[in-house]
Amino acid sequence: MEHKNINLTLKVWKQKNGQSQGRFETYLVNDISTEMSFLEMFDVLNERLIKEGKEPIAFDHDCREGICGMCSMYINGRPHGPWEGTTTCQLHMRAFKDGETIVVEPWRANAFPVLKDLMVDRSSFDRIIQAGGFISVNTGNAVDANAMPVEKDKADASFAAAACIGCGACVAACKNSSAMLFLSAKVTHLALLPQGSPERKTRALNMIAQMDKEGFGACTNTGACEAVCPKEISITNIARLNQEYLYAGLTADK
Amino acid sequence: MLNSKTPAGPLDQKWTDYKGHVKLVNPANKRKLEVVIIGTGLAGASAAASLGELGYKVKAFCFQDSPRRAHSIAAQGGINAAKNYQNDGDSVFRLFYDTIKGGDYRARESNVHRLAEVSSNIIDQCVAQGVPFAREYGGLLSNRSFGGTQVQRTFYAAGQTGQQLLIGAYQALERQVALGNVEMYNRHEMLDVVVIDGKARGIIARDLVSGKLERHFGHAVLLCSGGYGNVFYLSTNAMGSNVTAAWKAHKKGAYFGNPCFTQIHPTCIPVSGDHQSKLTLMSESLRNDGRIWVPKKQGDNRKPGEIPEEERDYYLERRYPAFGNLVPRDVASRAAKERCDAGYGVGSSKQAVYLDYADAIKRYGHIEAGKQGMHEADEATVIRLGKEVVKEKYGNLFDMYEKITGENPYEVPMRIYPAVHYTMGGIWVDYELMTTVPGLYALGEANFSDHGANRLGASALMQGLADGYFIIPYTLGSYLSDDIRTASIPTTDPAFEAAEKAVQERIQTLMNIKGTQTVESFHKRLGRIMWDKCGMARNAEGLKQAIAEIQQLKKEFWSDVRIPGAIDEMNPELDKANRVADFIELGELMCIDALDRKESCGGHFREESQTEEGEAKRDDVNFAYVSAWEYKGEHQWQLHKEELEFEVAKPTQRSYK
């Protein structure tokens, strides 16, 4: 693959902590190889800032292979940047042109308060899972794994929903800051499996209630979430969630 | 003498007998007993969930923003279990035997057999939790093969098996959080173990958001903090993966087992430049269908497509006809290094070999054409169909390769090279997973126990979950049953005070250095020393040099590192400095261990000990032991040996030919 070096202007959100006011800072970065990942470009910049005695830019990242869901930059108005189906850590500098200006912000949502610079607090997602995103089975003597066959199509659809990495891009992209894509992916993953069936009703009701409590907005089906999801989770999951929710509400036993 | 506390009796009865006789803690007492768990990967999350379910009061800690992000999530290929669903001759014994042999006879038989015994329960448990494993059309679970075995026993969820298993354990953990049995501490890093009257009684942790130090009491402390591959700087580990928790435990008396046993994974995307921050693994499952080759001519600069079949050297198939491309990882890695060192490497760096899918695409294309009744299909159709099949099996891996390299692996062979992936070494533990500090346990990759000198593919997930779901819930009771009268120790105890003060002073010292070099630059230099002199091949002279260089690096670090920012705020550079300081000390111990072990075994290849064909030569007479190192002070360690006895799996020269 051909590669070259490019020069860029970065406008990055800087914010000392959750209590302080933030602002954009401008940085010029030169000689960036197009073989670098987006985060490696930030590494290069941070190394330079530290040597110059300045504050480096804080950002969340861990696995750098697109699976842990920790990285979370809002790049040129799009969560995770311009490539479809890609997390920020997998975005490479080939995506940008020499001389380009790139604007980088944190996820913006009331339920994801900024901690510092580009880092936000996503523990609201954990609390949504606590409200019902599980199958209540203790460790111990589960029946043989092959005792309960699952149709391949259903298992595959369940897996496709379970591929969600919980990064929060769907919330960041949504004008209502709704967490419906995240939540529906979990409800679908579990509802499509026979093991998840007994708790279907309470799961949908409780998880939605927790989402509202956390301050996420409602869904108006604009589809922005699906468009930016790095794992390409389908918006049809939201339709399924609505169906589950309606069914649970109408047939509630308690 | 190190006592492994292995129960007496025949190998296949030990665990059953142990479970039948181990002391129990009654439910009312469990509610009074507190357990601190460090790390929330497969081992930590499964242990926290299971112990919470049993009624213990659990506190779990992770440095990431959520327990679901632990690096187990990145495991791709699969998880082994001796289910024998394929009827291809698998059994508990065979899984045990393959693991012992794969580990080059440097693991403890009793632990490995227990691992094989509980492997089936893991799959049952995960399916019950809703882990969406791959299935066949009949609705039953699907299996694939993996390196180092001749049966199909690997369960998988596309190339995201680790993710699905971790999400299962994470959900079980969050359920216990909701029930109030587990308290979760995200963005916290353990910076010391508190030892009172010789027993582990808690930890000092730093809240990474506020920078404040906290004290947490526990009747027992479980280290589930993963491996230390990042000592090499470049590895397939996550950026945050570190040895700090394990290293603090080591300095408080926990012996470190086989630190030099490192796994170099054969199929990773090669380094592209100095900016490289980590290496990305291409799952071992790719070796099922891909063929590895280099040109037969040295320094051949032709494009791969221009090199005709007869001028390609499929060196694994040539050297190891019985296992071919599916030889274990250590063997495959060394073979790639051998070819590249001899001048046959490919790509611009010449530090790569090809992993080629052209044959697999054709083979699958023909099968698919047959299925669809197209017996006269032309070449283009066959290739199109074959690509579809390959896409379904490995699509996410191929996409990842393309994003990173900008090359399309469906059209041109992938370039791969070995990279540091896993550490078989770790904190020494006995049969009950307890370290040499009473009340301090180590689970999963953080301990040394089950993989000997080389881990087989798809066995790390198995071990993490075995330790957390099925072993610690039994063995912890054995210790805590004697502790039911111990009331919670207040964290105002002098031992907590002293530990916190020491941590505080160390952080202060680091911040006050105000030198000129970045933490990252020290880490890179350490990684270079380790990779060059304690990597895929090691020799006495290189290791001695490495030790001197690391000692020098340590001095330089503690006098010239520059950490920006302040202590009482979120400061990722300070977090990193704390970790790199520990990696430097660990690096020295790894070299000392590698120097001591004058044999070659598994992933540890001493150039002085090889056969005429260049294969690793083990020395069972002198080195059939586990090296357990006791920390004695700066640059000083004392070696303790746990002699390994093989009653069932008699050591033989490992051959995959």
Side-chain angles (χ1 to χ4, degrees):
Chain A
M1 183 72 192
E2 292 287 308
H3 61 93
K4 54 184 181 198
N5 286 2
I6 55 175
N7 300 328
L8 300 159
T9 305
L10 293 182
K11 290 190 172 172
V12 182
W13 187 258
K14 286 285 290 174
Q15 184 173 335
K16 193 170 167 48
N17 54 43
Q19 291 74 48
S20 62
Q21 282 253 315
R23 66 187 188 288
F24 280 105
E25 284 267 356
T26 303
Y27 304 91
L28 301 176
V29 285
N30 295 333
D31 273 335
I32 296 299
S33 162
T34 50
E35 286 197 300
M36 279 185 204
S37 72
F38 197 75
L39 296 182
E40 284 167 349
M41 185 265 293
F42 265 76
D43 292 342
V44 170
L45 171 60
N46 273 347
E47 284 293 284
R48 193 189 87 200
L49 292 174
I50 297 167
K51 282 195 186 126
E52 290 170 353
K54 294 179 186 148
E55 273 273 313
I57 301 157
F59 59 92
D60 266 325
H61 64 112
D62 201 25
C63 78
R64 295 206 179 185
E65 44 190 280
I67 195 76
C68 77
M70 192 127 169
C71 62
S72 54
M73 293 181 188
Y74 200 81
I75 301 161
N76 284 344
R78 193 185 146 95
H80 295 302
W83 284 357
E84 275 180 28
T86 305
T87 55
T88 298
C89 65
Q90 294 290 77
L91 176 64
H92 276 64
M93 297 313 291
R94 288 191 297 279
F96 300 94
K97 288 195 273 303
D98 190 31
E100 202 172 329
T101 297
I102 307 173
V103 181
V104 188
E105 298 166 77
W107 284 174
R108 297 209 186 272
N110 280 340
F112 290 162
V114 173
L115 294 172
K116 182 173 186 163
D117 300 345
L118 302 170
M119 291 170 138
V120 298
D121 179 356
R122 285 170 285 194
S123 53
S124 47
F125 269 15
D126 288 338
R127 290 187 292 274
I128 290 177
I129 297 297
Q130 285 161 25
F134 48 74
I135 289 170
S136 296
V137 52
N138 280 3
T139 307
N141 300 298
V143 294
D144 185 87
N146 263 351
M148 199 186 286
V150 182
E151 277 170 62
K152 186 175 184 333
D153 289 346
K154 279 197 174 169
D156 287 350
S158 170
F159 170 75
C164 168
I165 56 174
C167 65
C170 46
V171 176
C174 177
K175 66 187 170 87
N176 305 320
S177 299
S178 175
M180 284 286 271
L181 191 66
F182 167 75
L183 206 155
S184 66
K186 187 47 60 194
V187 165
T188 301
H189 160 208
L190 299 175
L192 285 177
L193 297 173
Q195 293 87 345
S197 190
E199 291 169 288
R200 271 170 75 174
K201 291 185 190 176
T202 48
R203 181 179 303 122
L205 293 173
N206 293 347
M207 288 177 76
I208 294 256
Q210 187 64 33
M211 178 182 80
D212 292 343
K213 210 163 113 189
E214 296 288 347
F216 291 100
C219 172
T220 48
N221 277 307
T222 61
C225 50
E226 179 187 61
V228 303
C229 175
K231 296 294 147 186
E232 300 176 318
I233 303 290
S234 165
I235 197 172
T236 55
N237 289 315
I238 297 185
R240 184 186 315 275
L241 170 63
N242 286 332
Q243 191 188 321
E244 293 277 321
Y245 185 74
L246 202 64
Y247 171 71
L250 290 174
T251 62
D253 312 316
K254 303 174 214 171
Chain B
M1 255 313 270
L2 276 174
N3 182 0
S4 66
K5 290 199 236 157
T6 300
L11 184 63
D12 57 358
Q13 285 304 308
K14 286 181 197 288
W15 182 234
T16 309
D17 282 353
Y18 177 92
K19 285 192 294 183
H21 297 101
V22 68
K23 284 185 274 183
L24 301 174
V25 181
N26 92 37
N29 284 330
K30 284 196 186 103
R31 285 194 285 273
K32 292 185 232 152
L33 293 169
E34 299 176 47
V35 182
V36 166
I37 299 180
I38 311 302
T40 57
L42 288 181
S46 60
S50 304
L51 296 175
E53 287 160 10
L54 287 173
Y56 292 107
K57 278 165 72 175
V58 177
K59 285 181 173 181
F61 296 79
C62 69
F63 68 78
Q64 299 91 341
D65 77 329
S66 164
R68 66 180 292 156
R69 314 240 189 257
H71 197 52
S72 304
I73 202 148
Q76 297 170 352
I79 176 166
N80 288 330
K83 278 286 195 189
N84 193 27
Y85 282 159
Q86 305 306 323
N87 195 30
D88 56 359
D90 202 5
S91 64
V92 166
F93 181 80
R94 203 174 283 276
L95 174 54
F96 153 77
Y97 183 80
D98 285 347
T99 308
I100 285 278
K101 177 188 171 198
D104 219 356
Y105 302 94
R106 289 295 172 264
R108 193 187 289 150
E109 271 193 336
S110 55
N111 285 48
V112 177
H113 198 277
R114 176 176 66 184
L115 176 68
E117 284 174 59
V118 303
S119 65
S120 284
N121 303 79
I122 298 172
I123 303 303
D124 299 341
Q125 179 64 27
C126 293
V127 166
Q129 286 173 345
V131 170
F133 284 120
R135 287 177 185 270
E136 306 288 356
Y137 282 102
L140 303 180
L141 295 165
S142 175
N143 290 114
R144 58 166 59 142
S145 6
F146 247 68
T149 68
Q150 290 175 318
V151 294
Q152 290 197 314
R153 63 160 74 101
T154 305
F155 294 79
Y156 64 99
Q160 288 129 272
T161 316
Q163 180 197 24
Q164 295 309 323
L165 296 175
L166 183 63
I167 295 298
Y170 158 76
Q171 287 171 186
L173 164 65
E174 292 297 347
R175 174 170 159 251
Q176 293 307 309
V177 173
L179 293 171
N181 298 326
V182 177
E183 257 184 276
M184 189 62 227
Y185 294 82
N186 301 343
R187 294 195 193 266
H188 275 66
E189 184 139 68
M190 184 197 113
L191 291 179
D192 211 356
V193 185
V194 177
V195 179
I196 299 175
D197 297 332
K199 292 177 175 174
R201 289 300 190 190
I203 61 160
I204 304 296
R206 184 164 178 270
D207 177 339
L208 300 181
V209 177
S210 68
K212 287 199 175 65
L213 295 181
E214 297 173 0
R215 306 170 186 182
H216 296 275
F217 166 79
H219 287 88
V221 175
L222 275 50
L223 296 174
C224 310
S225 48
Y228 49 86
N230 270 346
V231 69
F232 291 87
Y233 185 73
L234 288 180
S235 78
T236 64
N237 286 7
M239 300 302 286
S241 300
N242 67 78
V243 77
T244 289
W247 197 250
K248 303 302 184 195
H250 173 55
K251 290 176 99 168
K252 280 283 168 85
Y255 295 0
F256 213 108
N258 297 332
C260 81
F261 285 173
T262 313
Q263 177 159 83
I264 316 276
H265 196 292
T267 53
C268 299
I269 300 176
V271 175
S272 73
D274 286 340
H275 56 263
Q276 193 92 27
S277 60
K278 78 152 272 162
L279 294 169
T280 302
L281 175 76
M282 300 304 290
S283 169
E284 176 160 306
S285 61
L286 291 171
R287 284 200 277 143
N288 269 323
D289 287 317
R291 298 179 71 195
I292 294 176
W293 62 276
V294 292
K296 279 187 179 164
K297 207 170 77 186
Q298 279 176 332
D300 194 333
N301 284 322
R302 285 177 293 175
K303 288 189 177 139
E306 291 165 1
I307 301 175
E309 194 60 27
E310 61 276 12
E311 292 178 40
R312 300 176 176 191
D313 177 14
Y314 295 91
Y315 58 87
L316 287 177
E317 297 168 30
R318 169 171 59 80
R319 285 178 67 177
Y320 308 100
F323 280 70
N325 291 296
L326 282 177
V327 289
R329 293 174 173 177
D330 53 338
V331 178
S333 291
R334 271 199 296 281
K337 178 176 159 48
E338 188 275 327
R339 284 292 84 186
C340 291
D341 287 353
Y344 297 92
V346 300
S348 52
S349 66
K350 300 287 172 202
Q351 292 291 302
V353 299
Y354 288 126
L355 174 61
D356 198 334
Y357 260 69
D359 278 3
I361 287 172
K362 277 189 207 143
R363 179 162 49 86
Y364 281 123
H366 280 296
I367 295 171
E368 197 60 24
K371 272 190 200 165
Q372 299 183 12
M374 296 189 286
H375 299 293
E376 305 289 314
D378 57 24
E379 177 99 359
T381 311
V382 167
I383 289 182
R384 180 177 57 78
L385 292 172
K387 281 181 185 166
E388 282 170 16
V389 176
V390 168
K391 191 175 169 59
E392 196 193 320
K393 283 183 165 247
Y394 307 106
N396 66 321
L397 298 170
F398 277 45
D399 289 350
M400 190 158 74
Y401 182 85
E402 186 167 5
K403 276 174 200 162
I404 293 171
T405 63
E407 293 172 355
N408 179 353
Y410 294 98
E411 304 295 337
V412 287
M414 288 180 259
R415 285 172 297 113
I416 54 158
Y417 196 69
V420 174
H421 179 54
Y422 185 91
T423 48
M424 283 75 67
I427 298 293
W428 184 89
V429 290
D430 62 19
Y431 187 74
E432 298 184 314
L433 304 181
M434 201 197 291
T435 69
T436 45
V437 178
L440 181 66
Y441 292 77
L443 283 66
E445 192 181 348
N447 74 29
F448 87 101
S449 76
D450 295 355
H451 308 295
N454 173 58
R455 178 175 65 74
L456 289 181
S459 284
L461 303 185
M462 172 172 69
Q463 189 219 337
L465 291 180
D467 287 359
Y469 282 138
F470 295 107
I471 296 169
I472 198 71
Y474 288 93
T475 61
L476 187 64
S478 158
Y479 173 76
L480 290 180
S481 58
D482 289 334
D483 227 19
I484 51 175
R485 282 171 205 88
T486 310
S488 293
I489 298 171
T491 54
T492 47
D493 186 277
F496 275 97
E497 298 254 1
E500 185 184 320
K501 189 157 170 280
V503 171
Q504 183 75 47
E505 282 170 2
R506 177 174 140 120
I507 291 175
Q508 201 77 53
T509 308
L510 279 170
M511 291 300 292
N512 286 342
I513 296 168
K514 296 190 197 321
T516 60
Q517 302 179 60
T518 63
V519 177
E520 201 76 6
S521 67
F522 281 107
H523 197 177
K524 278 189 185 178
R525 284 166 63 192
L526 174 67
R528 183 38 73 187
I529 299 170
M530 295 302 292
W531 179 248
D532 287 346
K533 300 186 172 128
C534 194
M536 259 190 288
R538 299 143 176 202
N539 61 56
E541 197 193 345
L543 290 165
K544 282 178 197 156
Q545 282 169 10
I547 292 168
E549 287 171 35
I550 294 169
Q551 289 179 352
Q552 179 56 36
L553 190 74
K554 184 176 175 184
K555 271 192 205 128
E556 222 180 294
F557 178 90
W558 284 95
S559 58
D560 196 32
V561 72
R562 170 181 288 187
I563 306 164
I567 292 174
D568 57 350
E569 63 174 13
M570 192 168 215
N571 190 343
E573 284 295 314
L574 174 57
D575 308 342
K576 207 156 67 180
N578 264 318
R579 295 169 190 165
V580 171
D582 294 333
F583 275 134
I584 294 175
E585 295 180 9
L586 165 73
E588 184 179 352
L589 178 61
M590 287 171 72
C591 294
I592 291 173
D593 185 42
L595 192 58
D596 171 75
R597 193 170 283 277
K598 295 182 185 68
E599 63 162 351
S600 293
C601 58
H604 171 65
F605 188 70
R606 278 289 294 266
E607 286 168 353
E608 300 94 327
S609 179
Q610 50 182 308
T611 64
E612 276 168 22
E613 299 99 50
E615 304 292 342
K617 200 165 128 196
R618 226 175 47 227
D619 177 355
D620 291 328
V621 177
N622 295 304
F623 294 99
Y625 61 78
V626 175
S627 306
W629 297 90
E630 180 185 5
Y631 182 77
K632 288 293 214 184
E634 193 172 9
H635 307 308
Q636 287 170 8
W637 284 272
Q638 187 184 335
L639 176 62
H640 301 266
K641 294 178 184 175
E642 179 196 340
E643 298 294 337
L644 291 169
E645 282 158 35
F646 295 93
E647 290 169 8
V648 177
K650 294 291 176 204
T652 53
Q653 184 68 28
R654 207 164 54 126
S655 171
Y656 293 94
K657 287 183 190 269

